[in-house]
Amino acid sequence: MIVRYVRLLWIFLRTEMQYELEYRTNLALDIVQSLVIMGTSVGAVLVLFSYTTVLNGWDLGAMLVLLGCFYLVQGFSEFVLAPSFEKFMEHVRMGTLDFALLKPASPQFLVTLRQFRVTELTQFVLGAVIVVVALSRMSGVGVYQGVGFAVALLCGFTLVYALLLALSTFAFWFVRVDNLMAIYWSFLDAGRFPVDIYPGWLRLTLSTAVPIGIAVTVPAQAISGRLDPFGLGLLVIGTVAAFVVASWFWRLGLRSYTGASA
Amino acid sequence: MIRTYRALLIAQIQAASQYRVQSILWMLFSVMRPVIFLAAWVAVANAQGGQIGAYDTRDFAGYYVALALVTNLAFSWNAYDFEFEIRMGRLSPKLLRPLHPIHYAVVDNLVWKATTMIPLLLILAVVIVTFDARFRTTPAHILLFVPSVLLAGALTFLGGWFLATTAFWTTRVHAVSTLWDRAVFIFAGQIAPLALLPGVLKTISLALPFGYMLGVPTEILRGGVDVPTALVLIGGQAFWVVVFYIAFLRLWRVGVRQYSAVGA
């Protein structure tokens, strides 16, 4: 069962890759753009750290790890989630969701992990590079921290997935929900700094309703050894809950879907 | 011309009133980045005993509140639309009308700014209270702020259109506008007040147009510079507006002559 889904995923990804490689100049330009965006973001952090060595308990190394995590999460959501959910909303609008529903696989899988924007992989890869480079400046990163990081990052991805799934489900009732998605995109920028520097109302928003703060900050905490097993456990439970609720909400919405002119 | 503008304004307001929620949500984009960097600078200042250069935490709050307001007032995003219009061939009918396409963009921006102003001020009021912002503004600063923010608006608008016009040749300006955006990010006063940019970055921000787009009107509104300095900075803004105005006109004239609709 899982093997079948992984194979499907691979097929989707491969066709998308072939398509994208037809536009090579575009691809090269996108890579250059990502490099510029990363470079300037690192530059902004360096400007802040030219005035201090510690920012709310985060030193430069930890801060760069966090920035890397920010681009891992953002890269992931722009690589697969954003294109898939945009397509999903278009399907609802055009009444073409039927085609996905009739196929012999989980509709949620077929709809939410179907489209890929291969060029966004550069963001993801560069985010990983920043994490690795920053880690080389830090000491005391062991297996335990590594595992914690991997688990926390996976939770981060899932939290963002659940949020976007829940937001886009509203399309079943309201059809045009690009605006709701803009909530996610406007708050996303806040992920570039640790969530603990923000004032109460913003921290709360970034930890619950729009959990980008959690998705980025907790993996960075995990790898710099500042996350206890209790915090990690809490994150896993919260993530599973978010995923289950969002999926339930999606199925609820799906029930009120009617094809075009039905 | 005034009558034309009145007609355009009314049409645009009617169009905008259909998208009320949208305009409020998009306003979040003007607010989020200033608030984020405000929080970061407050954390830096607290780590250093509450003071960085001439700024304490309350000054940072004043600066970034002013920045959010200036961003909303002075910034325009039409460059992205323009590329799209060229690629989709939607520019062609506009070119046939007796009005330069840039006027539609002007009206578009004016209406957007007017409709987002009230929700923006409400959010900024929350930020002012949360961070206990301090303003050193005097009446003279407010007087100077008016021309300064107008010039900043003209500068970002013309700069954006100058970039967009290159789409006549490339049909894709996305890569160029990303470069431009990131230069604004670093040099315009978003990541730090211009006075706090380290060494060479500060020089670049005032030697190139970027610092005059956001940082200069922001400091004037906050009351962070004295009147003679403000006048010099406004002079710099005027200089760059003229440069971009001439450059844009030249480029447009050449570009529109060799424009042919995509697919033609």
Side-chain angles (χ1 to χ4, degrees):
Chain A
M1 160 94 162
I2 291 178
V3 175
R4 181 160 146 257
Y5 277 98
V6 170
R7 242 187 46 221
L8 275 176
L9 209 57
W10 173 240
I11 294 172
F12 298 157
L13 186 60
R14 212 180 46 201
T15 45
E16 207 65 34
M17 213 119 74
Q18 285 163 341
Y19 168 78
E20 203 71 58
L21 285 173
E22 288 175 44
Y23 303 93
R24 270 178 291 258
T25 321
N26 209 19
L27 192 66
L29 278 177
D30 275 327
I31 292 174
V32 172
Q33 283 183 53
S34 296
L35 281 172
V36 170
I37 290 175
M38 303 278 164
T40 45
S41 286
V42 171
V45 170
L46 292 179
V47 167
L48 283 165
F49 274 84
S50 70
Y51 288 98
T52 186
T53 49
V54 185
L55 199 156
N56 222 20
W58 296 74
D59 63 9
L60 181 57
M63 196 64 148
L64 289 177
V65 169
L66 182 109
L67 190 66
C69 291
F70 171 62
Y71 282 111
L72 283 173
V73 170
Q74 189 179 342
F76 172 72
S77 60
E78 282 181 29
F79 170 55
V80 50
L81 300 184
S84 296
F85 284 110
E86 275 163 25
K87 193 78 185 173
F88 159 65
M89 289 187 282
E90 193 187 317
H91 276 318
V92 172
R93 201 164 56 233
M94 312 293 271
T96 45
L97 192 65
D98 310 17
F99 298 119
L101 298 180
L102 293 174
K103 285 181 184 137
S106 151
Q108 188 180 340
F109 168 80
L110 280 180
V111 166
T112 57
L113 298 175
R114 176 64 185 85
Q115 307 287 325
F116 295 87
R117 212 172 278 149
V118 178
T119 50
E120 299 298 343
L121 264 186
T122 47
Q123 250 193 96
F124 191 83
V125 172
L126 288 174
V129 169
I130 295 180
V131 170
V132 171
V133 171
L135 279 183
S136 66
R137 292 175 48 101
M138 288 160 66
S139 53
V141 180
V143 179
Y144 172 71
Q145 281 86 355
V147 172
F149 173 75
V151 172
L153 194 62
L154 199 65
C155 287
F157 290 163
T158 314
L159 279 174
V160 173
Y161 173 87
L163 169 71
L164 289 177
L165 180 65
L167 286 179
S168 61
T169 296
F170 283 103
F172 284 122
W173 295 286
F174 304 118
V175 186
R176 276 210 62 157
V177 289
D178 319 27
N179 294 330
L180 283 176
M181 304 303 260
I183 295 181
Y184 170 71
W185 295 114
S186 57
F187 278 101
L188 180 67
D189 209 29
R192 67 171 69 243
F193 291 124
V195 69
D196 48 53
I197 70 167
Y198 297 119
W201 51 272
L202 186 55
R203 196 177 346 147
L204 196 68
T205 311
L206 293 171
S207 315
T208 53
V210 192
I212 298 148
I214 293 286
V216 175
T217 306
V218 178
Q221 277 175 336
I223 200 140
S224 48
R226 287 190 296 162
L227 185 69
D228 47 21
F230 177 70
L232 191 63
L234 213 60
L235 177 69
V236 172
I237 293 170
T239 306
V240 171
F243 181 78
V244 169
V245 170
S247 302
W248 166 81
F249 187 52
W250 195 80
R251 283 194 302 276
L252 186 76
L254 191 59
R255 244 180 276 156
S256 64
Y257 169 75
T258 54
S261 78
Chain B
M1 200 64 186
I2 291 172
R3 272 182 51 198
T4 322
Y5 256 77
R6 226 182 69 189
L8 280 178
L9 266 174
I10 291 170
Q12 194 59 44
I13 288 171
Q14 285 168 343
S17 62
Q18 299 173 37
Y19 299 98
R20 277 164 304 219
V21 182
Q22 181 162 339
S23 61
I24 292 171
L25 283 174
W26 282 89
M27 180 217 55
L28 279 175
F29 283 98
S30 313
V31 180
M32 280 312 283
R33 185 162 286 166
V35 169
I36 289 160
F37 277 92
L38 167 58
W41 278 106
V42 167
V44 171
N46 283 335
Q48 297 296 307
Q51 184 92 19
I52 301 286
Y55 295 78
D56 64 16
T57 52
R58 297 182 58 201
D59 289 321
F60 278 119
Y63 177 86
Y64 277 106
V65 166
L67 180 71
L69 191 66
V70 169
T71 306
N72 205 61
L73 283 175
F75 245 66
S76 45
W77 286 271
N78 297 85
Y80 300 101
D81 297 346
F82 188 72
E83 168 193 327
F84 191 66
E85 287 190 343
I86 285 195
R87 222 162 5 140
M88 306 304 271
R90 283 207 296 215
L91 183 68
S92 308
K94 276 195 179 173
L95 283 176
L96 294 177
R97 294 183 198 162
L99 197 62
H100 195 293
I102 200 168
H103 295 296
Y104 298 98
V106 172
V107 173
D108 206 30
N109 270 302
L110 288 179
V111 170
W112 192 82
K113 287 173 201 322
T115 48
T116 49
M117 201 32 84
I118 290 170
L120 177 75
L121 290 177
L122 288 176
I123 292 191
L124 290 184
V126 173
V127 178
I128 289 175
V129 173
T130 315
F131 287 93
D132 191 18
R134 181 199 293 133
F135 296 92
R136 301 168 187 278
T137 320
T138 64
H141 283 117
I142 297 197
L143 272 181
L144 289 172
F145 174 69
V146 175
S148 181
V149 76
L150 287 175
L151 286 169
L155 181 55
T156 48
F157 186 77
L158 288 170
W161 271 81
F162 177 73
L163 284 191
T165 305
T166 58
F168 276 132
W169 289 272
T170 58
T171 63
R172 267 196 70 109
V173 288
H174 198 89
V176 187
S177 48
T178 300
L179 277 182
W180 185 265
D181 285 348
R182 296 315 282 189
V184 168
F185 177 69
I186 292 285
F187 296 118
Q190 291 192 331
I191 61 165
L194 298 184
L196 292 184
L197 285 175
V200 66
L201 294 186
K202 184 181 170 189
T203 316
I204 296 174
S205 75
L206 288 175
L208 294 178
F210 302 108
Y212 301 98
M213 294 176 170
L214 297 174
V216 166
T218 302
E219 279 297 0
I220 292 176
L221 178 60
R222 181 182 85 85
V225 287
D226 56 18
V227 172
T229 319
L231 286 171
V232 173
L233 291 172
I234 291 176
Q237 290 185 297
F239 169 76
W240 279 109
V241 169
V242 172
V243 167
F244 273 103
Y245 182 67
I246 295 170
F248 166 67
L249 283 189
R250 286 262 161 94
L251 199 65
W252 179 272
R253 209 170 300 148
V254 186
V256 82
R257 206 171 292 156
Q258 66 92 55
Y259 164 76
S260 81
V262 172

